[in-house]
Amino acid sequence: MSAVFEVLALPARQAIVERLREGPATVGELAGALGLSQPLASKHLRVLRDCGFVSVRADAQRRWYELRPEPLREVDRWLEPYRWMWEERLDRLGDRLDAMARHEDEEE
């Protein structure tokens, strides 16, 4: 599990993962979208690939990188026991917002 967090510790890798949520992309597309040099983007993609976060598909001269869900599922499973902390707070926030909306309706 610590390897997953180590991989995602760098903002550039987080940004690559975020961008790949939209769908497969080439190194050039990722580098351009994220303002990285192509060699730096390739370096981060190699780490993400080696740790199982992305898969690579060759298409002639291009390599397409695609996000793999398995490492993220591992994070999700690890976070499961802690969800109660923020779900409870979100429920209270929702209750407060509902009360504020009712109050505004009553004033109209």
Side-chain angles (χ1 to χ4, degrees):
M1 177 47 103
S2 63
V4 170
F5 290 116
E6 287 176 28
V7 168
L8 294 176
L10 293 179
R13 291 188 198 139
Q14 292 171 21
I16 290 170
V17 168
E18 287 293 318
R19 169 49 190 84
L20 288 175
R21 279 187 8 199
E22 298 170 18
T26 64
V27 154
E29 291 171 342
L30 291 167
L34 303 174
L36 301 171
S37 69
Q38 193 159 341
L40 185 57
S42 292
K43 177 183 172 186
H44 288 302
L45 284 164
R46 185 172 39 254
V47 172
L48 289 167
R49 185 194 66 221
D50 291 348
C51 292
F53 275 86
V54 298
S55 60
V56 183
R57 176 177 45 88
D59 180 24
Q61 299 294 341
R62 297 176 137 185
R63 293 188 185 278
W64 290 91
Y65 291 85
E66 189 169 9
L67 192 59
R68 295 183 68 239
E70 293 84 2
L72 299 171
R73 285 189 192 125
E74 185 180 342
V75 172
D76 184 56
R77 280 192 300 274
W78 185 82
L79 288 171
E80 182 62 36
Y82 303 98
R83 279 198 173 73
W84 65 270
M85 288 189 281
W86 62 80
E87 286 175 350
E88 182 179 307
R89 290 181 182 136
L90 288 173
D91 288 344
R92 286 196 314 253
L93 174 61
D95 292 344
R96 177 70 176 139
L97 293 173
D98 290 344
M100 289 171 63
R102 283 193 301 275
H103 180 70
E104 287 178 8
D105 289 344
E106 291 170 1
E107 288 181 348
E108 294 178 355

